């Protein structure tokens, strides 16, 4: 397979590590990356650090690693854009024939990297890691399961469940992702959308040993909304279907009122009936407008055609031009 074709070439593999306020994780990052080099000597390794507008000493730690070890390169973004855009910048600047995406907190275990490389050499382009179990709370686990189940039933793209950004991507996948320049990004869906030959493996997530999670509830909700609205128009269809059903029910209720009033002479309960009907229909209208507004807002952000990000420097070079 791919291994036989490339046996005379020393391939480069990039490990992409987006970081936001991960100053405390850098001793562990350094130790883990050195172990990756030691355990996988047949490859040329690049460790690409992306500073996503950190407010602590994350950038200074990146600069130190780059000066001490040429395997480490870093991108300093001009502000905090979020992990999705930080990964986008990493795709643009990665030099490897393959790219492995990992969290800077090192909760992704490096001991599965040899297995990823094995399946890559067997011809797979996207080797994604699926968690055997999660260390998160019951509510977060359940909402995550419901979210992925919803995506799988409403999109035409096969979405892998219990998977995140921890995966190995061949250069063909990286080049495909680089062409997708939208700023309202849900990269987990993009991995599925681009296709290519995929292989799933399993891993056990490690406990965080330094720092704290940067994912707030609002950030997770926003990511979930992007995932739903980036790959399906199901919410719009649900709103349309609901409006149709409400109209049918309202018409039937109108017939009922006419019959009871004209034939049986029953008085119409005017004020309560009108208020309940107005509140219900008003709520449905606002819901439909909200769903429509979410899609229009994403269109508004995309049609401006702004670059996904700007950088302060790449390895300290401030004249580097964004690769857009």
């Amino acid at each position: 397979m791919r291994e036989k074709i490339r046996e005379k070439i020393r391939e480069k593999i990039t490990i992409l590590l987006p970081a936001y306020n991960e100053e405390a994780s850098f001793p562990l990052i350094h130790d883990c990356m050195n172990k990756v080099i030691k355990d996988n000597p047949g490859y040329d390794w690049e460790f690409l650090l992306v500073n996503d507008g950190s407010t602590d000493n994350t950038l200074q730690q990146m600069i130190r690693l780059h000066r001490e070890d040429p395997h480490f390169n870093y991108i300093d973004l001009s502000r905090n854009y979020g992990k999705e855009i930080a990964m986008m910048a990493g795709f643009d600047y990665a030099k490897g024939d393959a790219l492995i995406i990992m969290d800077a907190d090192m909760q992704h275990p490096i001991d599965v990297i040899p297995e990823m490389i094995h399946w890559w050499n067997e011809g797979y382009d996207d080797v994604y890691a699926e968690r055997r179990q999660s260390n998160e709370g019951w509510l977060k686990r359940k909402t995550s399961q419901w979210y992925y189940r919803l995506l799988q039933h409403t999109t035409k793209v096969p979405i892998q469940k219990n998977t995140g950004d921890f995966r190995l991507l061949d250069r063909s996948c990286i080049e495909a992702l680089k062409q997708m320049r939208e700023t309202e990004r849900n990269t987990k869906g993009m991995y599925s959308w681009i296709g290519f030959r995929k292989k799933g493996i399993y891993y056990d997530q490690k406990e965080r040993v330094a720092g704290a999670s940067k994912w707030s509830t609002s950030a997770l909700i926003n990511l979930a909304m992007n995932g739903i609205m980036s790959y399906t128009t199901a919410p719009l269809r649900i709103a349309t279907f609901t409006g149709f059903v409400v109209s049918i029910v309202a018409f039937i209720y109108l017939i009922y009122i006419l019959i009871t009033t004209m034939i049986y002479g029953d008085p119409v309960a005017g004020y309560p009936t009108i208020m309940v009907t107005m509140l219900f229909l008003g709520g449905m209208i606002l819901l439909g407008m909200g769903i429509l507004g979410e899609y229009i807002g994403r269109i508004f952000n995309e049609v401006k055609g702004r670059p996904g990000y700007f950088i302060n420097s790449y390895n300290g070079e401030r004249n580097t031009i964004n690769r857009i």
Side-chain angles (χ1 to χ4, degrees), residues 30-101:
H30 183 259
D31 292 343
C32 287
M33 295 305 103
N34 281 337
K35 190 173 187 305
V36 168
I37 295 175
K38 181 180 178 181
D39 294 345
N40 304 275
Y43 298 90
D44 183 14
W45 289 95
E46 176 196 26
F47 307 124
L48 182 56
L49 305 161
V50 182
N51 177 39
D52 188 23
S54 300
T55 57
D56 61 0
N57 290 320
T58 293
L59 176 60
Q60 287 70 27
Q61 293 292 333
M62 291 181 179
I63 295 172
R64 179 183 60 81
L65 285 180
H66 173 66
R67 289 174 176 172
E68 294 175 355
D69 189 339
H71 290 99
F72 287 90
N73 294 317
Y74 69 91
I75 304 168
D76 181 25
L77 297 181
S78 61
R79 66 172 177 85
N80 176 237
Y81 290 91
K83 184 183 178 183
E84 297 289 318
I85 297 297
M87 289 193 297
M88 179 183 181
F91 298 152
D92 288 342
Y93 284 85
K95 300 175 182 176
D97 300 298
L99 173 76
I100 299 174
I101 308 168

Side-chain angles (χ1 to χ4, degrees), residues 44-243:
D44 183 14
W45 289 95
E46 176 196 26
F47 307 124
L48 182 56
L49 305 161
V50 182
N51 177 39
D52 188 23
S54 300
T55 57
D56 61 0
N57 290 320
T58 293
L59 176 60
Q60 287 70 27
Q61 293 292 333
M62 291 181 179
I63 295 172
R64 179 183 60 81
L65 285 180
H66 173 66
R67 289 174 176 172
E68 294 175 355
D69 189 339
H71 290 99
F72 287 90
N73 294 317
Y74 69 91
I75 304 168
D76 181 25
L77 297 181
S78 61
R79 66 172 177 85
N80 176 237
Y81 290 91
K83 184 183 178 183
E84 297 289 318
I85 297 297
M87 289 193 297
M88 179 183 181
F91 298 152
D92 288 342
Y93 284 85
K95 300 175 182 176
D97 300 298
L99 173 76
I100 299 174
I101 308 168
M102 301 184 71
D103 287 346
D105 58 18
M106 290 290 99
Q107 287 187 285
H108 294 152
I110 60 173
D111 54 6
V112 302
I113 288 178
E115 185 179 0
M116 287 181 166
I117 296 173
H118 166 75
W119 290 114
W120 177 52
N121 285 323
E122 288 294 315
Y124 290 95
D125 302 300
D126 180 356
V127 184
Y128 60 90
E130 182 176 344
R131 288 180 301 184
R132 285 195 184 92
Q133 59 184 7
S134 174
N135 299 326
E136 298 164 343
W138 178 87
L139 180 60
K140 193 171 183 179
R141 290 200 310 271
K142 283 298 181 183
T143 52
S144 178
Q145 292 172 5
W146 296 334
Y147 169 68
Y148 281 109
R149 193 174 302 168
L150 175 64
L151 276 183
Q152 289 172 331
H153 285 85
T154 56
T155 66
K156 297 180 181 179
V157 179
I159 305 292
Q160 293 93 25
K161 64 179 181 178
N162 298 326
T163 62
D165 298 308
F166 185 30
R167 62 184 65 219
L168 180 148
L169 298 170
D170 181 70
R171 170 53 63 176
S172 56
C173 295
I174 301 168
E175 293 301 323
L177 290 167
K178 284 168 63 175
Q179 296 180 54
M180 304 172 72
R181 306 307 298 184
E182 59 257 43
T183 56
E184 297 287 337
R185 300 175 71 83
N186 184 275
T187 315
K188 296 176 182 62
M190 290 179 178
Y191 302 136
S192 299
W193 191 90
I194 62 175
F196 295 98
R197 195 177 181 202
K198 301 184 184 299
K199 173 69 178 180
I201 63 173
Y202 292 94
Y203 78 100
D204 294 315
Q205 182 172 316
K206 291 188 173 183
E207 294 285 348
R208 174 186 278 271
V209 298
S213 174
K214 309 306 184 296
W215 286 99
S216 63
T217 302
S218 60
L220 290 172
I221 292 174
N222 184 62
L223 182 64
M225 292 285 287
N226 279 339
I228 293 172
M229 296 189 174
S230 295
Y231 300 99
T232 179
T233 56
L236 292 173
R237 293 182 179 178
I238 291 172
T240 301
F241 176 76
T242 304

